[in-house]
């Protein structure tokens, strides 16, 4: 995994030169994907750029409260762009069809991200693995370029910080991140409202899902795992599970070193990893074709739930052994 690579001046120049900008983020978007995207889109509109913001399938209902979320398109099929800015996405596949279209129809690409597993795609890099959220990198760019921070932009960036740090609780939470949060609050971002509408809420359907999923939990020598099947989703009347709530909950178990949650899709399995400090699931997810951070990562594997469990649990055991110097 490579060190930070951030060419602030080249990014600011590319934005100054561009008139039409496509801003894109990763599929199955979380609070940082949407927050950082809306943050930079708002800042660019403030500079009178013509902005197209898009994410495959659009904004999840639970994040629709974010200011200007209705401006995000669920796909992009026309137009040529001077610039594409990819946010919070460690590789180009992660941006789905929007990314594919953007890559083919943009003169230049800025890769703005905070994943250590970032593949360094694009023409201009703003890749900062020490940043707790892509929203932090957007904030740094705004400051570097001296652009104005409106209340809406601050609101969206704070949502990115809050969700990616689980309310400033993860080990990567830095004093710098808290300083940025303070600056965003001073610009009008409502911290308690963001907390209440992201971390401190859930639908009853999710509780129903957990009722079933928790029955699948197994713990063996520090490896805790659970599976969410298609039938669990159907019983809970959910199409998909959108957050990492369950895997975050499981890694908090005292005896757990690494937590893995398998989510069964029709022809593939989505896998979420979390680790206690000292274990590296980012490297594991990368080896499986995904990516992420040292302590939080994920991937998607084609095939059945059982196949995925056999392969991934064996590799996770090796990750635990490696963390113990084995
Ligand atoms: P989560 O478990 O919350 O879905 O994801 C945890 C972390 O892993 C996030 O930083 C997310 O961006 C990354 N991640 C999850 N799934 C994938 C994937 O399929 N590909 C890549 N590149 N990263 C992923
Ligand atoms: Mn992020």
């Amino acid at each position: 995994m490579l060190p930070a690579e951030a060419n602030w001046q080249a990014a600011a120049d590319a934005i100054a030169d561009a008139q039409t900008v496509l801003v894109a983020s990763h599929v199955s978007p979380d609070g940082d994907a949407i927050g950082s995207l809306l943050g930079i889109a708002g800042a660019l509109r403030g500079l009178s750029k013509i902005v197209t913001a898009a994410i495959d399938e659009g904004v999840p209902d639970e994040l629709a409260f974010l200011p200007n979320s209705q401006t995000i398109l669920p796909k992009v099929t026309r137009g040529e762009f001077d610039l594409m800015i990819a946010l919070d996405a460690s590789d180009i596949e992660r941006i789905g069809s929007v990314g594919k279209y953007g890559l083919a129809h943009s003169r230049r690409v800025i890769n703005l991200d905070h994943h250590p597993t970032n593949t360094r795609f694009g023409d201009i890099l703003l890749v900062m693995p020490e940043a707790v959220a892509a929203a932090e990198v957007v904030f740094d760019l705004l400051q570097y370029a001296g652009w104005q921070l409106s209340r809406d932009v601050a609101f969206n960036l704070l949502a990115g910080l809050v969700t990616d740090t689980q309310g400033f609780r993860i080990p990567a939470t830095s004093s710098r991140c808290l300083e940025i949060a303070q600056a965003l609050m001073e610009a009008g971002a409502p911290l308690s409202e963001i907390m209440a509408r992201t971390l401190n809420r859930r639908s009853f359907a999710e509780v129903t899902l957990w009722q079933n999923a928790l029955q699948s939990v197994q713990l063996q020598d520090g490896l805790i795992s659970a599976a969410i099947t298609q039938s669990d989703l159907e019983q809970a009347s959910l199409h998909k599970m959108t957050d990492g709530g369950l895997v975050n909950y499981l890694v908090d178990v005292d005896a757990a070193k690494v937590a893995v949650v398998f989510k069964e899709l029709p022809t593939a399995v989505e896998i979420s990893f979390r680790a206690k400090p000292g274990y590296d699931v980012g490297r594991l997810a990368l080896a499986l074709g995904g990516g992420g951070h040292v302590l939080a990562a994920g991937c998607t594997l084609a095939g059945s739930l059982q196949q995925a469990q056999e392969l991934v649990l064996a590799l996770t055991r090796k990750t635990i052994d490696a963390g113990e110097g084995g």
Side-chain angles (χ1 to χ4, degrees):
M1 295 180 200
L2 304 163
E5 246 177 281
N7 197 339
W8 303 105
Q9 191 57 49
D13 289 346
I15 290 169
D17 289 346
Q19 225 196 342
T20 51
V21 186
L22 173 65
V23 288
S25 188
H26 64 79
V27 295
S28 303
D30 56 14
D32 189 33
I34 305 282
S36 60
L37 181 145
L38 287 172
I40 200 152
L44 294 173
R45 290 195 178 103
L47 298 167
S48 305
K49 306 291 174 188
I50 301 166
V51 178
T52 302
I55 296 184
D56 285 11
E57 292 171 35
V59 179
D61 290 347
E62 64 274 13
L63 292 169
F65 75 95
L66 291 172
N68 309 313
S69 69
Q70 76 287 352
T71 60
I72 297 181
L73 305 173
K75 56 181 160 187
V76 52
T77 50
R78 342 190 239 130
E80 299 294 321
F81 304 95
D82 297 327
L83 182 67
M84 168 162 95
I85 306 179
L87 298 124
D88 201 29
S90 57
D91 57 62
I92 195 75
E93 288 76 38
R94 185 104 172 113
I95 321 171
S97 351
V98 169
K100 228 176 257 163
Y101 183 91
L103 209 56
H105 296 269
S106 307
R107 280 188 21 234
R108 279 202 281 187
V109 175
I110 295 178
N111 172 354
L112 185 160
D113 188 29
H114 71 121
H115 292 98
T117 57
N118 189 288
T119 59
R120 272 61 178 175
F121 67 89
D123 306 301
I124 298 166
L125 301 180
L126 292 178
V127 179
M128 302 283 293
E130 66 273 30
V132 293
E136 179 176 328
V137 186
V138 172
F139 180 88
D140 286 344
L141 177 62
L142 257 66
Q143 275 218 321
Y144 178 89
W147 302 332
Q148 211 196 323
L149 180 65
S150 70
R151 177 190 179 268
D152 282 1
V153 169
F155 192 139
N156 280 305
L157 295 182
L158 189 59
L161 286 187
V162 164
T163 53
D164 258 22
T165 60
Q166 293 175 40
F168 308 110
R169 281 190 299 154
I170 65 165
T173 305
S174 60
S175 59
R176 165 107 183 101
C177 152
L178 295 177
E179 273 169 26
I180 295 172
Q182 183 177 359
L184 296 172
M185 286 180 78
E186 281 164 5
L191 178 64
S192 63
E193 180 186 348
I194 292 168
M195 292 275 192
R197 298 181 83 158
T198 56
L199 304 176
N200 296 341
R201 66 155 293 280
R202 62 189 53 80
S203 65
F204 186 66
E206 275 177 73
V207 177
T208 310
L209 185 72
W210 280 44
Q211 258 177 336
N212 287 329
L214 284 173
Q215 293 183 40
S216 74
V217 173
Q218 296 194 358
L219 169 68
Q220 205 178 11
D221 298 331
L223 201 178
I224 193 162
S225 66
I228 295 164
T229 63
Q230 285 284 301
S231 110
D232 292 337
L233 286 171
E234 274 159 33
Q235 278 182 38
S237 309
L238 280 172
H239 298 298
K240 63 186 233 170
M241 200 176 91
T242 47
D243 76 354
L246 182 59
V247 72
N248 289 334
Y249 180 77
L250 294 181
V251 78
D252 287 348
V253 167
D254 291 329
K257 295 166 180 166
V258 173
V260 189
V261 169
F262 297 87
K263 296 177 230 173
E264 187 183 39
L265 307 176
T267 61
V269 183
E270 226 174 77
I271 299 144
S272 284
F273 299 101
R274 295 293 184 273
K276 288 260 172 62
Y279 303 91
D280 182 354
V281 291
R283 195 182 290 267
L284 170 61
L286 188 65
L288 289 165
H293 308 280
V294 173
L295 303 184
C299 64
T300 300
L301 297 181
S304 73
L305 179 59
Q306 202 196 331
Q307 286 169 323
Q309 283 172 315
E310 279 169 19
L311 171 70
V312 170
L313 292 176
L315 292 176
T316 307
R317 175 61 60 198
K318 288 191 179 163
T319 293
I320 292 178
D321 291 345
E324 278 156 8

